[in-house]
Amino acid sequence: MPPHTPTYLSQGPRVGLRPLRAADGPEFTARVRESRALHEPWLFPPATIEEYEPYAARLAQGAPGAGFLVCDLADGAIAGFVNVNNIVRGAFQCGALGYGAFAHAAGRGLLGEGLGLLLAYAFAGTGLALHRLEANIQPGNAASIALVRGRGFRREGLSPDFLHVAGAWRDHERWALTAPPEPRAGAFA
């Protein structure tokens, strides 16, 4: 149980979305270690406090990324995380997603619900005010592909040797979603 009742940016029926904090290190890293079999070979989040501290500090700064936790409303436990990395402003207004469920919450739809909350926040003018989000996923990661496909992302192509993961350059499928269009003044309904 968290040391205090968190304030959520957004809540769904089963999860709340909140910013990642330095104080989340012990629970976050314990969940990472419990989830190694689930995450590898796709994902390697920080598994020790020494790795977590710079990770959390970078995401807490808000530029060029932001980190969020998906928490189970039933007990406040961290169910997963969603980061918006490499945020580019100006004419692009885009960020790249990184995410993962923790083993105790996997297969229950909690990360999917949390991703839905994150998308609303990321595209909102009162949130991150982005126009586009990208997810780069290794082709064999069927669960991750199903997650973004289920949230409306479209596959845009394949990038050979795109990211260095687990000691090698890996191919990644590029998936993207753009913000819903804003109504135009004077447009007919």
Side-chain angles (χ1 to χ4, degrees), residues 15-113:
V15 301
L17 182 73
R18 67 172 176 81
L20 176 136
R21 305 178 307 234
D24 295 313
E27 182 183 1
F28 187 96
T29 57
R31 298 288 186 199
V32 167
R33 290 187 303 273
E34 294 167 0
S35 304
R36 278 194 177 125
L38 176 66
H39 292 159
E40 292 178 6
W42 320 113
L43 181 64
F44 298 88
T48 67
I49 293 297
E50 294 76 22
E51 294 169 338
Y52 178 83
E53 287 173 349
Y55 168 83
R58 178 181 55 81
L59 291 170
Q61 291 172 355
F68 304 91
L69 297 177
V70 177
C71 299
D72 190 331
L73 291 176
D75 59 7
I78 300 172
F81 61 94
V82 183
N83 299 331
V84 183
N85 302 301
N86 305 323
I87 295 174
V88 178
R89 296 294 181 183
F92 200 33
Q93 297 297 334
C94 180
L97 289 178
Y99 49 83
F102 290 127
H104 75 282
R108 296 173 38 206
L110 300 178
L111 185 62
E113 184 179 323

Side-chain angles (χ1 to χ4, degrees), residues 96-97 134-138 144 159 162-163 172-175:
L97 289 178
E134 299 176 355
N136 297 294
I137 305 166
Q138 292 179 58
S144 189
S159 296
F162 185 67
L163 289 173
H172 281 70
E173 291 184 9
R174 294 185 324 276
W175 291 78

